[in-house]
PDB file of all heavy atoms in Angstrom:
ATOM      1  N   MET A 171      -0.423   3.671   7.260  1.00  0.00           N
ATOM      2  CA  MET A 171      -1.631   2.891   6.996  1.00  0.00           C
ATOM      3  C   MET A 171      -1.673   2.413   5.555  1.00  0.00           C
ATOM      4  O   MET A 171      -2.037   1.294   5.265  1.00  0.00           O
ATOM      5  CB  MET A 171      -2.874   3.729   7.332  1.00  0.00           C
ATOM      6  CG  MET A 171      -4.199   2.973   7.158  1.00  0.00           C
ATOM      7  SD  MET A 171      -4.321   1.552   8.283  1.00  0.00           S
ATOM      8  CE  MET A 171      -4.582   2.429   9.832  1.00  0.00           C
ATOM      9  N   ASN A 172      -1.252   3.294   4.627  1.00  0.00           N
ATOM     10  CA  ASN A 172      -1.247   2.904   3.215  1.00  0.00           C
ATOM     11  C   ASN A 172      -0.275   1.758   2.977  1.00  0.00           C
ATOM     12  O   ASN A 172      -0.555   0.843   2.216  1.00  0.00           O
ATOM     13  CB  ASN A 172      -0.862   4.104   2.350  1.00  0.00           C
ATOM     14  CG  ASN A 172      -0.988   3.805   0.876  1.00  0.00           C
ATOM     15  OD1 ASN A 172      -2.034   3.351   0.426  1.00  0.00           O
ATOM     16  ND2 ASN A 172       0.076   4.039   0.128  1.00  0.00           N
ATOM     17  N   LEU A 173       0.885   1.798   3.670  1.00  0.00           N
ATOM     18  CA  LEU A 173       1.861   0.728   3.551  1.00  0.00           C
ATOM     19  C   LEU A 173       1.265  -0.584   4.037  1.00  0.00           C
ATOM     20  O   LEU A 173       1.460  -1.644   3.436  1.00  0.00           O
ATOM     21  CB  LEU A 173       3.113   1.071   4.361  1.00  0.00           C
ATOM     22  CG  LEU A 173       4.212  -0.001   4.404  1.00  0.00           C
ATOM     23  CD1 LEU A 173       4.742  -0.253   3.005  1.00  0.00           C
ATOM     24  CD2 LEU A 173       5.343   0.428   5.318  1.00  0.00           C
ATOM     25  N   PHE A 174       0.501  -0.538   5.129  1.00  0.00           N
ATOM     26  CA  PHE A 174      -0.099  -1.744   5.670  1.00  0.00           C
ATOM     27  C   PHE A 174      -1.105  -2.339   4.684  1.00  0.00           C
ATOM     28  O   PHE A 174      -1.145  -3.541   4.476  1.00  0.00           O
ATOM     29  CB  PHE A 174      -0.798  -1.429   7.002  1.00  0.00           C
ATOM     30  CG  PHE A 174      -1.492  -2.606   7.605  1.00  0.00           C
ATOM     31  CD1 PHE A 174      -0.771  -3.572   8.278  1.00  0.00           C
ATOM     32  CD2 PHE A 174      -2.876  -2.762   7.499  1.00  0.00           C
ATOM     33  CE1 PHE A 174      -1.404  -4.678   8.838  1.00  0.00           C
ATOM     34  CE2 PHE A 174      -3.509  -3.849   8.054  1.00  0.00           C
ATOM     35  CZ  PHE A 174      -2.772  -4.812   8.731  1.00  0.00           C
ATOM     36  N   ARG A 175      -1.908  -1.464   4.049  1.00  0.00           N
ATOM     37  CA  ARG A 175      -2.910  -1.955   3.102  1.00  0.00           C
ATOM     38  C   ARG A 175      -2.258  -2.596   1.882  1.00  0.00           C
ATOM     39  O   ARG A 175      -2.807  -3.527   1.293  1.00  0.00           O
ATOM     40  CB  ARG A 175      -3.826  -0.809   2.651  1.00  0.00           C
ATOM     41  CG  ARG A 175      -4.838  -0.362   3.697  1.00  0.00           C
ATOM     42  CD  ARG A 175      -5.968   0.424   3.035  1.00  0.00           C
ATOM     43  NE  ARG A 175      -5.472   1.582   2.287  1.00  0.00           N
ATOM     44  CZ  ARG A 175      -5.356   2.806   2.796  1.00  0.00           C
ATOM     45  NH1 ARG A 175      -5.683   3.011   4.067  1.00  0.00           N
ATOM     46  NH2 ARG A 175      -4.920   3.805   2.064  1.00  0.00           N
ATOM     47  N   ASN A 176      -1.078  -2.116   1.502  1.00  0.00           N
ATOM     48  CA  ASN A 176      -0.442  -2.574   0.280  1.00  0.00           C
ATOM     49  C   ASN A 176       0.655  -3.613   0.519  1.00  0.00           C
ATOM     50  O   ASN A 176       1.429  -3.909  -0.389  1.00  0.00           O
ATOM     51  CB  ASN A 176       0.155  -1.387  -0.475  1.00  0.00           C
ATOM     52  CG  ASN A 176      -0.921  -0.452  -1.006  1.00  0.00           C
ATOM     53  OD1 ASN A 176      -2.007  -0.894  -1.339  1.00  0.00           O
ATOM     54  ND2 ASN A 176      -0.606   0.829  -1.081  1.00  0.00           N
ATOM     55  N   TRP A 177       0.706  -4.187   1.717  1.00  0.00           N
ATOM     56  CA  TRP A 177       1.798  -5.109   2.017  1.00  0.00           C
ATOM     57  C   TRP A 177       1.816  -6.290   1.064  1.00  0.00           C
ATOM     58  O   TRP A 177       2.876  -6.792   0.692  1.00  0.00           O
ATOM     59  CB  TRP A 177       1.693  -5.609   3.458  1.00  0.00           C
ATOM     60  CG  TRP A 177       0.513  -6.526   3.685  1.00  0.00           C
ATOM     61  CD1 TRP A 177      -0.748  -6.171   4.020  1.00  0.00           C
ATOM     62  CD2 TRP A 177       0.502  -7.945   3.559  1.00  0.00           C
ATOM     63  NE1 TRP A 177      -1.562  -7.266   4.113  1.00  0.00           N
ATOM     64  CE2 TRP A 177      -0.817  -8.380   3.835  1.00  0.00           C
ATOM     65  CE3 TRP A 177       1.462  -8.903   3.238  1.00  0.00           C
ATOM     66  CZ2 TRP A 177      -1.196  -9.716   3.808  1.00  0.00           C
ATOM     67  CZ3 TRP A 177       1.081 -10.238   3.208  1.00  0.00           C
ATOM     68  CH2 TRP A 177      -0.228 -10.639   3.494  1.00  0.00           C
ATOM     69  N   ARG A 178       0.649  -6.732   0.637  1.00  0.00           N
ATOM     70  CA  ARG A 178       0.560  -7.913  -0.219  1.00  0.00           C
ATOM     71  C   ARG A 178       1.263  -7.702  -1.557  1.00  0.00           C
ATOM     72  O   ARG A 178       1.743  -8.656  -2.167  1.00  0.00           O
ATOM     73  CB  ARG A 178      -0.921  -8.272  -0.431  1.00  0.00           C
ATOM     74  CG  ARG A 178      -1.177  -9.485  -1.325  1.00  0.00           C
ATOM     75  CD  ARG A 178      -0.589 -10.740  -0.700  1.00  0.00           C
ATOM     76  NE  ARG A 178      -0.874 -11.916  -1.502  1.00  0.00           N
ATOM     77  CZ  ARG A 178      -0.239 -12.236  -2.632  1.00  0.00           C
ATOM     78  NH1 ARG A 178       0.706 -11.441  -3.090  1.00  0.00           N
ATOM     79  NH2 ARG A 178      -0.531 -13.333  -3.292  1.00  0.00           N
ATOM     80  N   PHE A 179       1.330  -6.468  -2.023  1.00  0.00           N
ATOM     81  CA  PHE A 179       1.944  -6.191  -3.311  1.00  0.00           C
ATOM     82  C   PHE A 179       3.249  -5.404  -3.178  1.00  0.00           C
ATOM     83  O   PHE A 179       3.932  -5.183  -4.175  1.00  0.00           O
ATOM     84  CB  PHE A 179       0.968  -5.410  -4.196  1.00  0.00           C
ATOM     85  CG  PHE A 179      -0.340  -6.128  -4.396  1.00  0.00           C
ATOM     86  CD1 PHE A 179      -1.495  -5.697  -3.754  1.00  0.00           C
ATOM     87  CD2 PHE A 179      -0.404  -7.247  -5.198  1.00  0.00           C
ATOM     88  CE1 PHE A 179      -2.699  -6.366  -3.924  1.00  0.00           C
ATOM     89  CE2 PHE A 179      -1.599  -7.932  -5.377  1.00  0.00           C
ATOM     90  CZ  PHE A 179      -2.752  -7.491  -4.739  1.00  0.00           C
ATOM     91  N   GLY A 180       3.614  -5.017  -1.959  1.00  0.00           N
ATOM     92  CA  GLY A 180       4.792  -4.182  -1.784  1.00  0.00           C
ATOM     93  C   GLY A 180       5.960  -4.856  -1.099  1.00  0.00           C
ATOM     94  O   GLY A 180       6.970  -4.206  -0.815  1.00  0.00           O
ATOM     95  N   TYR A 181       5.842  -6.160  -0.860  1.00  0.00           N
ATOM     96  CA  TYR A 181       6.882  -6.833  -0.088  1.00  0.00           C
ATOM     97  C   TYR A 181       8.163  -7.087  -0.889  1.00  0.00           C
ATOM     98  O   TYR A 181       9.251  -7.237  -0.322  1.00  0.00           O
ATOM     99  CB  TYR A 181       6.361  -8.174   0.449  1.00  0.00           C
ATOM    100  CG  TYR A 181       6.149  -9.227  -0.604  1.00  0.00           C
ATOM    101  CD1 TYR A 181       7.160 -10.129  -0.945  1.00  0.00           C
ATOM    102  CD2 TYR A 181       4.935  -9.337  -1.282  1.00  0.00           C
ATOM    103  CE1 TYR A 181       6.973 -11.092  -1.919  1.00  0.00           C
ATOM    104  CE2 TYR A 181       4.731 -10.285  -2.250  1.00  0.00           C
ATOM    105  CZ  TYR A 181       5.744 -11.173  -2.571  1.00  0.00           C
ATOM    106  OH  TYR A 181       5.548 -12.124  -3.540  1.00  0.00           O
ATOM    107  N   THR A 182       8.053  -7.120  -2.212  1.00  0.00           N
ATOM    108  CA  THR A 182       9.189  -7.579  -3.009  1.00  0.00           C
ATOM    109  C   THR A 182      10.417  -6.676  -2.877  1.00  0.00           C
ATOM    110  O   THR A 182      11.549  -7.167  -2.870  1.00  0.00           O
ATOM    111  CB  THR A 182       8.802  -7.699  -4.493  1.00  0.00           C
ATOM    112  OG1 THR A 182       8.353  -6.428  -4.970  1.00  0.00           O
ATOM    113  CG2 THR A 182       7.683  -8.715  -4.680  1.00  0.00           C
ATOM    114  N   LYS A 183      10.193  -5.378  -2.760  1.00  0.00           N
ATOM    115  CA  LYS A 183      11.347  -4.463  -2.674  1.00  0.00           C
ATOM    116  C   LYS A 183      12.170  -4.728  -1.418  1.00  0.00           C
ATOM    117  O   LYS A 183      13.387  -4.502  -1.407  1.00  0.00           O
ATOM    118  CB  LYS A 183      10.880  -3.010  -2.710  1.00  0.00           C
ATOM    119  CG  LYS A 183       9.951  -2.586  -1.599  1.00  0.00           C
ATOM    120  CD  LYS A 183       9.558  -1.113  -1.757  1.00  0.00           C
ATOM    121  CE  LYS A 183       8.550  -0.687  -0.700  1.00  0.00           C
ATOM    122  NZ  LYS A 183       7.201  -1.269  -0.978  1.00  0.00           N
ATOM    123  N   HIS A 184      11.530  -5.214  -0.373  1.00  0.00           N
ATOM    124  CA  HIS A 184      12.255  -5.495   0.865  1.00  0.00           C
ATOM    125  C   HIS A 184      13.116  -6.753   0.712  1.00  0.00           C
ATOM    126  O   HIS A 184      14.210  -6.835   1.302  1.00  0.00           O
ATOM    127  CB  HIS A 184      11.270  -5.659   2.011  1.00  0.00           C
ATOM    128  CG  HIS A 184      10.406  -4.448   2.238  1.00  0.00           C
ATOM    129  ND1 HIS A 184      10.929  -3.231   2.621  1.00  0.00           N
ATOM    130  CD2 HIS A 184       9.064  -4.268   2.097  1.00  0.00           C
ATOM    131  CE1 HIS A 184       9.939  -2.341   2.728  1.00  0.00           C
ATOM    132  NE2 HIS A 184       8.808  -2.953   2.406  1.00  0.00           N
ATOM    133  N   VAL A 185      12.637  -7.724  -0.053  1.00  0.00           N
ATOM    134  CA  VAL A 185      13.434  -8.928  -0.301  1.00  0.00           C
ATOM    135  C   VAL A 185      14.664  -8.572  -1.135  1.00  0.00           C
ATOM    136  O   VAL A 185      15.778  -9.025  -0.846  1.00  0.00           O
ATOM    137  CB  VAL A 185      12.588 -10.006  -1.008  1.00  0.00           C
ATOM    138  CG1 VAL A 185      13.418 -11.270  -1.215  1.00  0.00           C
ATOM    139  CG2 VAL A 185      11.332 -10.339  -0.206  1.00  0.00           C
ATOM    140  N   VAL A 186      14.452  -7.750  -2.147  1.00  0.00           N
ATOM    141  CA  VAL A 186      15.579  -7.306  -2.973  1.00  0.00           C
ATOM    142  C   VAL A 186      16.596  -6.540  -2.119  1.00  0.00           C
ATOM    143  O   VAL A 186      17.805  -6.763  -2.219  1.00  0.00           O
ATOM    144  CB  VAL A 186      15.082  -6.425  -4.138  1.00  0.00           C
ATOM    145  CG1 VAL A 186      16.267  -5.848  -4.913  1.00  0.00           C
ATOM    146  CG2 VAL A 186      14.177  -7.226  -5.066  1.00  0.00           C
ATOM    147  N   ARG A 187      16.095  -5.662  -1.280  1.00  0.00           N
ATOM    148  CA  ARG A 187      16.985  -4.867  -0.435  1.00  0.00           C
ATOM    149  C   ARG A 187      17.756  -5.758   0.539  1.00  0.00           C
ATOM    150  O   ARG A 187      18.930  -5.502   0.842  1.00  0.00           O
ATOM    151  CB  ARG A 187      16.174  -3.817   0.336  1.00  0.00           C
ATOM    152  CG  ARG A 187      17.020  -2.852   1.150  1.00  0.00           C
ATOM    153  CD  ARG A 187      17.971  -2.079   0.274  1.00  0.00           C
ATOM    154  NE  ARG A 187      18.834  -1.180   1.058  1.00  0.00           N
ATOM    155  CZ  ARG A 187      20.077  -0.886   0.729  1.00  0.00           C
ATOM    156  NH1 ARG A 187      20.621  -1.395  -0.370  1.00  0.00           N
ATOM    157  NH2 ARG A 187      20.776  -0.062   1.477  1.00  0.00           N
ATOM    158  N   ASN A 188      17.131  -6.812   1.019  1.00  0.00           N
ATOM    159  CA  ASN A 188      17.794  -7.753   1.916  1.00  0.00           C
ATOM    160  C   ASN A 188      19.028  -8.349   1.246  1.00  0.00           C
ATOM    161  O   ASN A 188      20.092  -8.460   1.867  1.00  0.00           O
ATOM    162  CB  ASN A 188      16.812  -8.864   2.311  1.00  0.00           C
ATOM    163  CG  ASN A 188      17.429  -9.913   3.211  1.00  0.00           C
ATOM    164  OD1 ASN A 188      18.083 -10.823   2.737  1.00  0.00           O
ATOM    165  ND2 ASN A 188      17.189  -9.799   4.506  1.00  0.00           N
ATOM    166  N   VAL A 189      18.888  -8.711  -0.028  1.00  0.00           N
ATOM    167  CA  VAL A 189      20.021  -9.285  -0.760  1.00  0.00           C
ATOM    168  C   VAL A 189      21.079  -8.229  -1.023  1.00  0.00           C
ATOM    169  O   VAL A 189      22.291  -8.497  -0.888  1.00  0.00           O
ATOM    170  CB  VAL A 189      19.536  -9.922  -2.079  1.00  0.00           C
ATOM    171  CG1 VAL A 189      20.717 -10.393  -2.927  1.00  0.00           C
ATOM    172  CG2 VAL A 189      18.600 -11.089  -1.797  1.00  0.00           C
ATOM    173  N   GLU A 190      20.667  -7.016  -1.375  1.00  0.00           N
ATOM    174  CA  GLU A 190      21.635  -5.950  -1.632  1.00  0.00           C
ATOM    175  C   GLU A 190      22.452  -5.628  -0.382  1.00  0.00           C
ATOM    176  O   GLU A 190      23.672  -5.420  -0.454  1.00  0.00           O
ATOM    177  CB  GLU A 190      20.913  -4.707  -2.132  1.00  0.00           C
ATOM    178  CG  GLU A 190      20.329  -4.869  -3.530  1.00  0.00           C
ATOM    179  CD  GLU A 190      19.513  -3.672  -3.977  1.00  0.00           C
ATOM    180  OE1 GLU A 190      19.044  -2.897  -3.100  1.00  0.00           O
ATOM    181  OE2 GLU A 190      19.331  -3.509  -5.195  1.00  0.00           O
ATOM    182  N   ILE A 191      21.796  -5.590   0.761  1.00  0.00           N
ATOM    183  CA  ILE A 191      22.511  -5.344   2.022  1.00  0.00           C
ATOM    184  C   ILE A 191      23.465  -6.495   2.317  1.00  0.00           C
ATOM    185  O   ILE A 191      24.611  -6.294   2.737  1.00  0.00           O
ATOM    186  CB  ILE A 191      21.513  -5.145   3.183  1.00  0.00           C
ATOM    187  CG1 ILE A 191      20.753  -3.830   3.005  1.00  0.00           C
ATOM    188  CG2 ILE A 191      22.225  -5.180   4.524  1.00  0.00           C
ATOM    189  CD1 ILE A 191      19.613  -3.639   3.990  1.00  0.00           C
ATOM    190  N   SER A 192      23.008  -7.728   2.068  1.00  0.00           N
ATOM    191  CA  SER A 192      23.840  -8.899   2.327  1.00  0.00           C
ATOM    192  C   SER A 192      25.081  -8.915   1.452  1.00  0.00           C
ATOM    193  O   SER A 192      26.105  -9.507   1.820  1.00  0.00           O
ATOM    194  CB  SER A 192      23.019 -10.175   2.099  1.00  0.00           C
ATOM    195  OG  SER A 192      21.934 -10.257   3.015  1.00  0.00           O
ATOM    196  N   ALA A 193      25.010  -8.269   0.297  1.00  0.00           N
ATOM    197  CA  ALA A 193      26.149  -8.238  -0.628  1.00  0.00           C
ATOM    198  C   ALA A 193      27.241  -7.283  -0.177  1.00  0.00           C
ATOM    199  O   ALA A 193      28.337  -7.269  -0.762  1.00  0.00           O
ATOM    200  CB  ALA A 193      25.668  -7.858  -2.022  1.00  0.00           C
ATOM    201  N   GLN A 194      27.006  -6.494   0.863  1.00  0.00           N
ATOM    202  CA  GLN A 194      27.999  -5.503   1.294  1.00  0.00           C
ATOM    203  C   GLN A 194      29.295  -6.150   1.755  1.00  0.00           C
ATOM    204  O   GLN A 194      30.377  -5.629   1.520  1.00  0.00           O
ATOM    205  CB  GLN A 194      27.411  -4.630   2.413  1.00  0.00           C
ATOM    206  CG  GLN A 194      26.308  -3.700   1.937  1.00  0.00           C
ATOM    207  CD  GLN A 194      25.719  -2.878   3.068  1.00  0.00           C
ATOM    208  OE1 GLN A 194      26.125  -3.006   4.228  1.00  0.00           O
ATOM    209  NE2 GLN A 194      24.749  -2.031   2.737  1.00  0.00           N
ATOM    210  N   SER A 195      29.165  -7.304   2.423  1.00  0.00           N
ATOM    211  CA  SER A 195      30.356  -8.034   2.851  1.00  0.00           C
ATOM    212  C   SER A 195      29.926  -9.426   3.312  1.00  0.00           C
ATOM    213  O   SER A 195      28.761  -9.631   3.679  1.00  0.00           O
ATOM    214  CB  SER A 195      31.060  -7.321   4.014  1.00  0.00           C
ATOM    215  OG  SER A 195      30.275  -7.408   5.192  1.00  0.00           O
ATOM    216  N   PRO A 196      30.847 -10.405   3.308  1.00  0.00           N
ATOM    217  CA  PRO A 196      30.497 -11.733   3.831  1.00  0.00           C
ATOM    218  C   PRO A 196      30.011 -11.679   5.273  1.00  0.00           C
ATOM    219  O   PRO A 196      29.094 -12.407   5.659  1.00  0.00           O
ATOM    220  CB  PRO A 196      31.814 -12.510   3.709  1.00  0.00           C
ATOM    221  CG  PRO A 196      32.539 -11.845   2.594  1.00  0.00           C
ATOM    222  CD  PRO A 196      32.202 -10.382   2.723  1.00  0.00           C
ATOM    223  N   GLU A 197      30.624 -10.812   6.070  1.00  0.00           N
ATOM    224  CA  GLU A 197      30.228 -10.700   7.472  1.00  0.00           C
ATOM    225  C   GLU A 197      28.795 -10.181   7.595  1.00  0.00           C
ATOM    226  O   GLU A 197      28.003 -10.696   8.387  1.00  0.00           O
ATOM    227  CB  GLU A 197      31.181  -9.753   8.218  1.00  0.00           C
ATOM    228  CG  GLU A 197      32.615 -10.249   8.324  1.00  0.00           C
ATOM    229  CD  GLU A 197      33.407 -10.107   7.030  1.00  0.00           C
ATOM    230  OE1 GLU A 197      32.988  -9.305   6.152  1.00  0.00           O
ATOM    231  OE2 GLU A 197      34.420 -10.819   6.877  1.00  0.00           O
ATOM    232  N   THR A 198      28.451  -9.185   6.787  1.00  0.00           N
ATOM    233  CA  THR A 198      27.086  -8.655   6.802  1.00  0.00           C
ATOM    234  C   THR A 198      26.093  -9.711   6.337  1.00  0.00           C
ATOM    235  O   THR A 198      25.008  -9.866   6.904  1.00  0.00           O
ATOM    236  CB  THR A 198      26.980  -7.413   5.905  1.00  0.00           C
ATOM    237  OG1 THR A 198      27.879  -6.407   6.385  1.00  0.00           O
ATOM    238  CG2 THR A 198      25.567  -6.860   5.894  1.00  0.00           C
ATOM    239  N   CYS A 199      26.465 -10.443   5.298  1.00  0.00           N
ATOM    240  CA  CYS A 199      25.604 -11.490   4.769  1.00  0.00           C
ATOM    241  C   CYS A 199      25.254 -12.513   5.849  1.00  0.00           C
ATOM    242  O   CYS A 199      24.086 -12.858   6.051  1.00  0.00           O
ATOM    243  CB  CYS A 199      26.305 -12.187   3.596  1.00  0.00           C
ATOM    244  SG  CYS A 199      25.369 -13.538   2.862  1.00  0.00           S
ATOM    245  N   LEU A 200      26.247 -12.992   6.552  1.00  0.00           N
ATOM    246  CA  LEU A 200      26.016 -14.007   7.581  1.00  0.00           C
ATOM    247  C   LEU A 200      25.303 -13.416   8.794  1.00  0.00           C
ATOM    248  O   LEU A 200      24.504 -14.106   9.448  1.00  0.00           O
ATOM    249  CB  LEU A 200      27.353 -14.625   7.999  1.00  0.00           C
ATOM    250  CG  LEU A 200      28.082 -15.390   6.875  1.00  0.00           C
ATOM    251  CD1 LEU A 200      29.444 -15.869   7.362  1.00  0.00           C
ATOM    252  CD2 LEU A 200      27.240 -16.561   6.388  1.00  0.00           C
ATOM    253  N   LYS A 201      25.566 -12.160   9.086  1.00  0.00           N
ATOM    254  CA  LYS A 201      24.869 -11.496  10.195  1.00  0.00           C
ATOM    255  C   LYS A 201      23.379 -11.405   9.908  1.00  0.00           C
ATOM    256  O   LYS A 201      22.531 -11.656  10.780  1.00  0.00           O
ATOM    257  CB  LYS A 201      25.456 -10.107  10.427  1.00  0.00           C
ATOM    258  CG  LYS A 201      24.879  -9.370  11.627  1.00  0.00           C
ATOM    259  CD  LYS A 201      25.571  -8.025  11.819  1.00  0.00           C
ATOM    260  CE  LYS A 201      25.004  -7.275  13.019  1.00  0.00           C
ATOM    261  NZ  LYS A 201      25.675  -5.956  13.211  1.00  0.00           N
ATOM    262  N   VAL A 202      23.037 -11.038   8.670  1.00  0.00           N
ATOM    263  CA  VAL A 202      21.631 -10.962   8.266  1.00  0.00           C
ATOM    264  C   VAL A 202      20.986 -12.337   8.351  1.00  0.00           C
ATOM    265  O   VAL A 202      19.862 -12.494   8.881  1.00  0.00           O
ATOM    266  CB  VAL A 202      21.517 -10.393   6.835  1.00  0.00           C
ATOM    267  CG1 VAL A 202      20.098 -10.577   6.290  1.00  0.00           C
ATOM    268  CG2 VAL A 202      21.897  -8.922   6.815  1.00  0.00           C
ATOM    269  N   ALA A 203      21.659 -13.349   7.829  1.00  0.00           N
ATOM    270  CA  ALA A 203      21.111 -14.710   7.836  1.00  0.00           C
ATOM    271  C   ALA A 203      20.882 -15.208   9.259  1.00  0.00           C
ATOM    272  O   ALA A 203      19.836 -15.785   9.583  1.00  0.00           O
ATOM    273  CB  ALA A 203      22.059 -15.653   7.094  1.00  0.00           C
ATOM    274  N   ARG A 204      21.870 -14.959  10.120  1.00  0.00           N
ATOM    275  CA  ARG A 204      21.768 -15.427  11.502  1.00  0.00           C
ATOM    276  C   ARG A 204      20.633 -14.710  12.240  1.00  0.00           C
ATOM    277  O   ARG A 204      19.854 -15.342  12.965  1.00  0.00           O
ATOM    278  CB  ARG A 204      23.108 -15.185  12.214  1.00  0.00           C
ATOM    279  CG  ARG A 204      23.234 -15.879  13.551  1.00  0.00           C
ATOM    280  CD  ARG A 204      24.631 -15.692  14.124  1.00  0.00           C
ATOM    281  NE  ARG A 204      25.653 -16.322  13.280  1.00  0.00           N
ATOM    282  CZ  ARG A 204      26.530 -15.656  12.538  1.00  0.00           C
ATOM    283  NH1 ARG A 204      26.527 -14.326  12.527  1.00  0.00           N
ATOM    284  NH2 ARG A 204      27.417 -16.307  11.812  1.00  0.00           N
ATOM    285  N   ALA A 205      20.530 -13.413  12.028  1.00  0.00           N
ATOM    286  CA  ALA A 205      19.487 -12.634  12.711  1.00  0.00           C
ATOM    287  C   ALA A 205      18.099 -13.076  12.253  1.00  0.00           C
ATOM    288  O   ALA A 205      17.176 -13.198  13.065  1.00  0.00           O
ATOM    289  CB  ALA A 205      19.691 -11.147  12.444  1.00  0.00           C
ATOM    290  N   GLY A 206      17.945 -13.316  10.951  1.00  0.00           N
ATOM    291  CA  GLY A 206      16.651 -13.736  10.435  1.00  0.00           C
ATOM    292  C   GLY A 206      16.216 -15.068  11.000  1.00  0.00           C
ATOM    293  O   GLY A 206      15.064 -15.240  11.436  1.00  0.00           O
ATOM    294  N   LEU A 207      17.121 -16.026  11.031  1.00  0.00           N
ATOM    295  CA  LEU A 207      16.774 -17.354  11.537  1.00  0.00           C
ATOM    296  C   LEU A 207      16.548 -17.339  13.046  1.00  0.00           C
ATOM    297  O   LEU A 207      15.624 -17.997  13.554  1.00  0.00           O
ATOM    298  CB  LEU A 207      17.881 -18.342  11.181  1.00  0.00           C
ATOM    299  CG  LEU A 207      17.959 -18.714   9.692  1.00  0.00           C
ATOM    300  CD1 LEU A 207      19.193 -19.569   9.422  1.00  0.00           C
ATOM    301  CD2 LEU A 207      16.700 -19.443   9.246  1.00  0.00           C
ATOM    302  N   GLU A 208      17.370 -16.588  13.770  1.00  0.00           N
ATOM    303  CA  GLU A 208      17.180 -16.509  15.226  1.00  0.00           C
ATOM    304  C   GLU A 208      15.824 -15.904  15.563  1.00  0.00           C
ATOM    305  O   GLU A 208      15.140 -16.349  16.498  1.00  0.00           O
ATOM    306  CB  GLU A 208      18.311 -15.705  15.856  1.00  0.00           C
ATOM    307  CG  GLU A 208      19.637 -16.448  15.889  1.00  0.00           C
ATOM    308  CD  GLU A 208      20.762 -15.609  16.469  1.00  0.00           C
ATOM    309  OE1 GLU A 208      20.535 -14.404  16.756  1.00  0.00           O
ATOM    310  OE2 GLU A 208      21.877 -16.153  16.633  1.00  0.00           O
TER     311      GLU A 208
END
């Protein structure tokens, strides 16, 4: 519940983590991009 209340100010760490995960490999990067758009 606390996470839900703070979503407006807590979203940035997830965007950063998305990029860090995408940096693991080109295949992971494109998999993340494809999944997000789909």
Side-chain angles (χ1 to χ4, degrees):
M171 183 63 73
N172 186 53
L173 177 62
F174 178 78
R175 286 198 303 268
N176 293 328
W177 69 272
R178 179 63 177 77
F179 303 106
Y181 70 91
T182 59
K183 60 180 176 287
H184 301 296
V185 182
V186 174
R187 185 60 182 147
N188 178 277
V189 174
E190 291 175 338
I191 291 172
S192 297
Q194 291 178 359
S195 70
E197 295 76 19
T198 300
C199 179
L200 296 176
K201 184 177 180 180
V202 168
R204 192 175 296 109
L207 288 173
E208 287 178 355

